[in-house]
Amino acid sequence: VEDVSESDDPTLVGENCHIVAESGGGPRSDPTLPLADRNRYANLILLCSIHHKIIDDNEAIWTIDKLKALKSSHETWVEQSLGLD
């Protein structure tokens, strides 16, 4: 969330992004992953629109394993630093 000014409402800049693509031809697609599992929390990561595009355009760098590790690392940081689940 970004606050542009104190008089405006906050702007939501986060996007729910799929680690394994929701669609069959999307970035990091895996047809063996059931459709129901593609929209579960374990397969989603919150990104800004810029990083969402960068990650989806660079599949060779941003693999499924790397995105899962990034998400796990951030969740650990949140839990330890902020005391949030």
Side-chain angles (χ1 to χ4, degrees):
V1 175
E2 291 287 331
D3 287 321
V4 176
S5 72
E6 291 190 26
S7 62
D8 289 337
D9 290 334
T11 301
L12 181 64
V13 296
E15 297 182 351
N16 282 320
C17 308
H18 292 85
I19 294 172
V20 174
E22 181 179 29
S23 63
R28 298 167 308 280
S29 63
D30 178 359
T32 65
L33 185 65
L35 182 58
D37 291 340
R38 296 178 200 176
N39 289 305
R40 295 195 193 281
Y41 176 81
N43 190 48
L44 298 174
I45 189 168
L46 187 65
L47 300 169
C48 71
S49 61
I50 293 169
H51 286 103
H52 187 181
K53 178 79 170 133
I54 289 169
I55 285 170
D56 281 356
D57 285 353
N58 293 281
E59 291 180 67
I61 296 169
W62 292 101
T63 63
I64 292 169
D65 289 338
K66 189 169 183 176
L67 289 173
K68 286 181 178 181
L70 177 70
K71 179 179 177 176
S72 177
S73 173
H74 183 69
E75 289 173 335
T76 299
W77 177 87
V78 167
E79 184 178 322
Q80 293 174 349
S81 300
L82 305 177
L84 302 173
D85 289 334

